[in-house]
Amino acid sequence: MSTPSSKPTLISCRGLTKIYKMGQSEVRALDGVDLDINEGEFVAIIGSSGSGKSTLMNMLGALDQPTSGTVTINGENVGKMKSKALAEFRNTTIGFVFQQFQLLPKKSAVKNVALSLLYRKPKVKDAAERAAHCLELVGLGDRGGHRPTELSGGQQQRVAIARALAGSPKVLLADEPTGALDSKTSTDIMALMQDLNSQGITIIVITHEHEVAAYADRVVEFKDGRIISDKLNAEVAA
């Protein structure tokens, strides 16, 4: 399924299937999924536990290979890449945001963000300057010297988002980004996601919460490894 758009397609899945073997039985986590996501979209992938959304996230993040079908990201068929090339592709194309912030507790916010740039080839010049800029983007320009323990949960997630943005990825992939936050902080984080999207960043949020999905422009719902609904949020609200 896809949404009409004048913008180019950034991610394309065709016949995407993932089968896990559990002893003598098989679990079809994804079952022939076709999905296009265009540049600049804000898409929520929603579904209950076991629906296939997390498996899809692993495919969109080039973290796992499909049993069959293809995933094309930014013109590259990731299923045909060798492991080293795939790791470099992830590092330059996809920014990850997780439910648990995964920050280094003894490093300051700016160093947590800058560290993500040190493994790039070629290395990013002035990584600290770039990290400081990304903290400004997420509203933490005055918190760069603080360690994670000196920041609230919402601020830690903002640092994690800044870290994901530091490498100028083509897409920001967020897995349950508000799962460890209270409702007020969740609202702030999703409003930040909307703001970043308005600046042209493609955002995909994986969630089981309809309240979170409501912030996206488009909602794709999964059940039993298949897409059962793909609508713009105005249609969802109606």
Side-chain angles (χ1 to χ4, degrees):
M1 297 184 187
S2 61
T3 300
S5 173
S6 59
K7 295 182 179 180
T9 301
L10 179 62
I11 296 174
S12 181
C13 302
R14 288 292 175 269
L16 195 60
T17 299
K18 183 66 176 180
I19 298 172
Y20 294 103
K21 291 190 176 181
M22 310 285 287
Q24 298 298 314
S25 61
E26 291 183 343
V27 175
R28 193 172 288 264
L30 291 176
D31 191 8
V33 171
D34 292 338
L35 176 68
D36 288 336
I37 295 175
N38 299 314
E39 284 188 14
E41 278 198 282
F42 186 170
V43 181
I45 309 293
I46 192 167
S48 59
S49 178
S51 63
K53 67 181 188 302
S54 295
T55 302
L56 179 72
M57 183 204 74
N58 289 336
M59 301 297 163
L60 298 183
L63 296 169
D64 196 5
Q65 299 287 356
T67 303
S68 62
T70 60
V71 182
T72 303
I73 304 174
N74 198 31
E76 298 281 353
N77 184 341
V78 297
K80 292 186 176 181
M81 288 186 179
K82 301 295 184 182
S83 57
K84 185 177 179 180
L86 196 57
E88 291 180 0
F89 178 80
R90 280 195 301 269
N91 200 20
T92 56
T93 308
I94 304 164
F96 293 93
V97 179
F98 302 100
Q99 179 175 338
Q100 303 299 330
F101 320 125
Q102 299 185 357
L103 302 176
L104 297 176
K106 295 184 178 180
K107 299 288 185 181
S108 66
V110 73
K111 286 184 177 179
N112 265 284
V113 176
L115 275 173
S116 66
L117 298 171
L118 299 182
Y119 304 104
R120 290 179 174 268
K121 295 180 181 180
K123 289 185 178 179
V124 176
K125 292 182 179 180
D126 303 318
E129 185 176 319
R130 173 65 183 166
H133 171 68
C134 288
L135 287 172
E136 288 278 1
L137 287 178
V138 300
L140 288 181
D142 60 344
R143 294 289 190 273
H146 289 62
R147 294 180 180 182
T149 52
E150 299 169 323
L151 300 172
S152 68
Q155 289 172 332
Q156 289 183 60
Q157 189 62 298
R158 285 173 182 264
V159 174
I161 293 170
R163 178 182 59 196
L165 294 173
S168 302
K170 281 283 187 180
V171 59
L172 192 66
L173 185 58
D175 181 21
E176 302 283 4
T178 63
L181 305 173
D182 60 48
S183 58
K184 169 64 169 66
T185 309
S186 296
T187 298
D188 293 342
I189 291 297
M190 294 312 299
L192 171 62
M193 293 278 190
Q194 284 183 320
D195 182 52
L196 293 171
N197 177 247
S198 73
Q199 298 175 44
I201 298 172
T202 305
I203 295 179
I204 303 171
V205 172
I206 311 296
T207 183
H208 67 278
E209 299 183 56
H210 288 276
E211 295 87 347
V212 171
Y215 286 87
D217 297 322
R218 175 182 168 200
V219 180
V220 180
E221 186 173 1
F222 272 73
K223 183 178 181 180
D224 298 330
R226 296 180 178 182
I227 295 174
I228 61 169
S229 176
D230 184 351
K231 297 180 179 180
L232 299 177
N233 236 332
E235 299 174 54
V236 175

